[in-house]
Amino acid sequence: MTTVLLVRHGLTAMTGPVLAGWTPGVHLNERGREQAEALAGRLGPLELDAIVSSPLERCQETAAAIARGRAVSVETDDRFGECGYGDWTGRPLKELAKEPLWQVVQAHPSAAVFPGGEALADTQSRAVRAVRDWNERLGEKATYLVCSHGDVIKAIVADALGLHLDQFQRITADPASLTVIRYTPLRPFLLRSNDVGGDVGNLVPPSEVPEHKDGGENSTGSDAAVGGGPGTT
């Protein structure tokens, strides 16, 4: 079972009012740096086999905060980069909400192709392929972290849940949030979604968790417990 920690970058001056996209030179602001440091502290108990990041500065800086003091360095994979918003890049969201394409992005994102940019379906395809490649590269016992962007993370989660891309707007990925997916031979499991605080003890791989006396995880030979299972408490 490979565990993937998906982290959205911390806040920047453009996060929220403007669609930053691939705009160069967008760095974490003071609050974003605080968020990255806080998340790095929360993740301290977890051993990470790799830390992978989008090439954009705000992700690189968030990933660097998490990598500090660890034996792993940040690796870059362009496939985790932001969606290519094309001509929409750098424009205010209030302005973009008046565009006819905005409603397509909201209600039928699988059909959305940004002018001069990328289709959201292509964003999902490259990001999911990247996750699968890293899973294979690192192995079934690995736990690794990917620092990426909101729409990219939402697209990966939709795939893991077996949701059509048209449902991905129902998923949220806030700045500096933690989303965790565990990939098993049968199916992915969403362990956390848009987590912005709390202990991470239950993310220790199951093989390292003592088996529940009444029959816990893996006690039935299946990766999914009937009735929900006892958890890791």
Side-chain angles (χ1 to χ4, degrees):
M1 292 182 286
T2 310
T3 303
V4 183
L5 282 62
L6 300 170
V7 168
R8 185 182 173 193
H9 61 82
L11 280 168
T12 75
M14 296 179 75
T15 306
V18 177
L19 190 63
W22 283 78
T23 303
V26 178
H27 298 275
L28 298 180
N29 60 16
E30 182 177 357
R31 177 57 182 149
R33 291 190 292 272
E34 291 173 353
Q35 290 174 324
E37 293 294 340
L39 180 57
R42 288 180 56 213
L43 297 178
L46 294 178
E47 292 188 15
L48 299 176
D49 295 288
I51 297 176
V52 189
S53 176
S54 155
L56 295 172
E57 292 94 338
R58 53 196 185 273
C59 286
Q60 292 281 325
E61 291 165 0
T62 302
I66 297 168
R68 196 171 298 121
R70 294 180 179 270
V72 295
S73 57
V74 178
E75 300 186 64
T76 300
D77 190 327
D78 288 357
R79 295 175 295 178
F80 291 122
E82 181 63 285
C83 176
Y85 295 118
D87 298 342
W88 279 29
T89 302
R91 294 177 60 188
L93 291 180
K94 287 184 177 180
E95 178 183 300
L96 292 172
K98 301 174 183 178
E99 296 277 355
L101 181 61
W102 182 269
Q103 292 304 317
V104 178
V105 173
Q106 297 302 314
H108 193 26
S110 66
V113 180
F114 294 98
E118 187 177 28
L120 271 170
D122 290 339
T123 302
Q124 182 185 48
S125 179
R126 62 170 163 84
V128 169
R129 181 69 263 168
V131 169
R132 299 290 182 177
D133 287 348
W134 280 96
N135 288 357
E136 183 176 355
R137 171 179 170 180
L138 296 172
E140 61 181 14
K141 295 184 179 180
T143 297
Y144 70 100
L145 183 144
V146 172
C147 188
S148 189
H149 308 266
D151 280 348
V152 178
I153 291 171
K154 289 161 57 178
I156 294 171
V157 172
D159 172 79
L161 292 176
L163 295 177
H164 195 281
L165 184 59
D166 287 345
Q167 308 301 321
F168 102 130
Q169 295 291 23
R170 301 183 182 202
I171 301 165
T172 299
D174 288 327
S177 64
L178 174 67
T179 295
V180 184
I181 302 171
R182 181 163 287 154
Y183 289 85
T184 79
L186 291 180
R187 62 180 71 83
F189 287 85
L190 180 63
L191 303 186
R192 295 199 181 191
S193 178
N194 198 40
D195 173 17
V196 292
D199 181 74
V200 295
N202 74 323
L203 300 181
V204 174
S207 60
E208 301 175 25
V209 177
E211 187 173 3
H212 193 280
K213 65 179 180 179
D214 296 321
E217 194 162 3
N218 296 325
S219 65
T220 63
S222 171
D223 58 4
V226 175
T232 58
T233 58

